[in-house]
Amino acid sequence: FPHSALINHYKSSDLYLNLSRIESFGITFIEALASRVPIISFAGKGANEIVKDKINGFLIKDNDVSEFINKILQIKENKEMLNNMQNNCLRSIKKFDLDTCSNKLINIYENEIKQKNWILSVIVYFLIKYYLPDIFIYFFKKLIFLFLFRYVEI
């Protein structure tokens, strides 16, 4: 979880401005939205999956810096728009909630184990191990072994 000082910075902000052209996952996007801070970002990979244009922020096409500045000014002048976007932030990230993701993963493993489809289970395990952020690896390893020992007779 983010450090409390970082959370305080998010919560004291009106906007999160992202100048990056590509975000692989965009954990900072999730952190900002979880703090009810709308995002202005260029419409690139990653950003376009998390930021919903005019709902929880703005996506700027074609790396148009002038349009980026215009959106900042638009939000500054329109507090009602800012409030609406702030209210939409939490709703827009429900699918990234740890409990939701964990439950989906648990269901996948339970179904695979019940069907004795071990090959897919091993493939999913390695995908999790090598492609999820480090903070989740420990949690998911424990989860995997918990279910393997729960359903497998040794």
Side-chain angles (χ1 to χ4, degrees):
F1 296 104
H3 190 276
S4 59
L6 179 59
I7 293 170
N8 289 335
H9 283 295
Y10 280 121
K11 289 190 175 280
S12 67
S13 301
D14 287 330
L15 290 171
Y16 178 76
L17 307 176
N18 181 62
L19 299 174
S20 175
R21 294 338 189 244
I22 297 174
E23 286 292 330
S24 60
F25 177 70
I27 192 73
T28 57
F29 290 168
I30 303 300
E31 291 170 348
L33 293 172
S35 300
R36 297 184 70 238
V37 178
I39 298 167
I40 299 178
S41 178
F42 292 113
K45 290 192 176 242
N48 60 0
E49 296 173 24
I50 298 172
V51 179
K52 303 301 175 207
D53 197 38
K54 299 177 188 92
I55 305 294
N56 63 1
F58 289 110
L59 289 171
I60 309 302
K61 294 182 179 23
D62 302 322
N63 298 326
D64 186 344
V65 175
S66 296
E67 183 63 15
F68 198 102
I69 294 167
N70 287 337
K71 292 302 179 187
I72 294 170
L73 296 173
Q74 184 178 351
I75 290 247
K76 180 182 178 215
E77 299 300 321
N78 190 340
K79 293 299 179 193
E80 184 178 343
M81 178 187 295
L82 175 62
N83 289 335
N84 288 337
M85 286 185 176
Q86 288 172 330
N87 292 332
N88 291 330
C89 286
L90 291 177
R91 281 191 293 271
S92 68
I93 59 167
K94 289 279 188 200
K95 67 182 177 181
F96 299 107
D97 178 69
L98 183 58
D99 288 335
T100 302
C101 293
S102 300
N103 289 332
K104 285 180 183 179
L105 186 64
I106 288 168
N107 289 335
I108 290 170
Y109 270 97
E110 284 178 337
N111 290 333
E112 291 306 314
I113 290 169
K114 286 176 186 172
Q115 296 174 16
K116 305 281 188 203
N117 194 346
W118 297 106
I119 294 172
L120 183 57
S121 295
V122 170
I123 291 169
V124 171
Y125 169 78
F126 282 103
L127 287 174
I128 290 168
K129 180 177 181 184
Y130 293 108
Y131 292 104
L132 285 178
D134 291 340
I135 194 168
F136 294 116
I137 290 174
Y138 178 77
F139 171 79
F140 286 115
K141 277 185 184 177
K142 292 293 183 188
L143 198 61
I144 290 165
F145 289 111
L146 171 75
F147 282 100
L148 287 177
F149 288 118
R150 182 171 159 196
Y151 290 104
V152 176
E153 293 179 22
I154 298 177

